[in-house]
Amino acid sequence: MGYYPTKAASNIYCQCRKAAAEYNDRLNSREGAAELLNMSVSTLSDYELGITKAIPVESVVRMADLYNAPELRNHYCTHDCPIGRTDVAPVKLDELDRLVMELQGCMKCAGIDRENLLEIAADGKIDDSERPQLQQILQNLDAISEGANSLKLWVQKNLGGSDT
């Protein structure tokens, strides 16, 4: 197999392996990657070509660790896991400055609504006139959560590890 697969080029598992090959030449080939992942070349090929529809979670974890690609875990949770598809938000891995700017914008929006949230919650009830404001606050909190998760993913990828 050549160094630049065409059929699997748009597959996230292949993209992450190829990106990791910049730091580990053995990952340039499926053969080298499969050996390091302790799986057969045909299994890895099936993952990268999208032939295997339900990739075992332990394989995704091994690839994410070997490739230094925590985004694979999020991709698995948001696309392949039956629970995650409905409960986990996809996060994007972007440049640090872009992630921080987006997160700051979300925080500013949510900060504007902070007083409104306190007013809404003061009596312990949500009346019909407060519902639209509360919905907007929840959307802002979702945006902050997405921004925080994107920043966390960037830190894991670039500073090495989830406990940083």
Side-chain angles (χ1 to χ4, degrees), residues 18 22 41 59 61 69 74 81 133 146-147 149 159:
K18 296 306 287 181
E22 290 183 33
V41 176
S59 296
V61 169
N74 181 261
C81 173
Q133 289 176 300
E146 182 181 334
N149 286 330
L159 299 182

Side-chain angles (χ1 to χ4, degrees), residues 93-102 151 154-155 158:
L93 186 59
D94 209 339
E95 296 300 319
L96 178 61
D97 58 345
R98 181 77 183 153
L99 293 172
V100 170
M101 294 295 286
E102 286 180 14
L151 184 57
W154 188 94
V155 169
N158 292 285

Side-chain angles (χ1 to χ4, degrees), residues 23-35:
Y23 306 102
N24 183 342
D25 191 53
R26 290 184 67 195
L27 299 176
N28 265 315
S29 71
R30 284 190 187 132
E31 291 79 8
E35 184 178 329

Side-chain angles (χ1 to χ4, degrees), residues 93-147:
L93 186 59
D94 209 339
E95 296 300 319
L96 178 61
D97 58 345
R98 181 77 183 153
L99 293 172
V100 170
M101 294 295 286
E102 286 180 14
L103 189 55
Q104 283 184 329
C106 294
M107 291 170 66
K108 184 177 180 182
C109 287
I112 294 169
D113 293 326
R114 195 179 102 194
E115 293 301 320
N116 289 344
L117 180 59
L118 292 174
E119 289 174 19
I120 291 169
D123 62 1
K125 295 180 265 183
I126 310 295
D127 64 42
D128 288 340
S129 68
E130 295 170 325
R131 286 182 187 273
Q133 289 176 300
L134 184 58
Q135 188 60 40
Q136 183 61 49
I137 291 168
L138 291 176
Q139 287 174 349
N140 289 338
L141 290 174
D142 284 342
I144 289 172
S145 179
E146 182 181 334

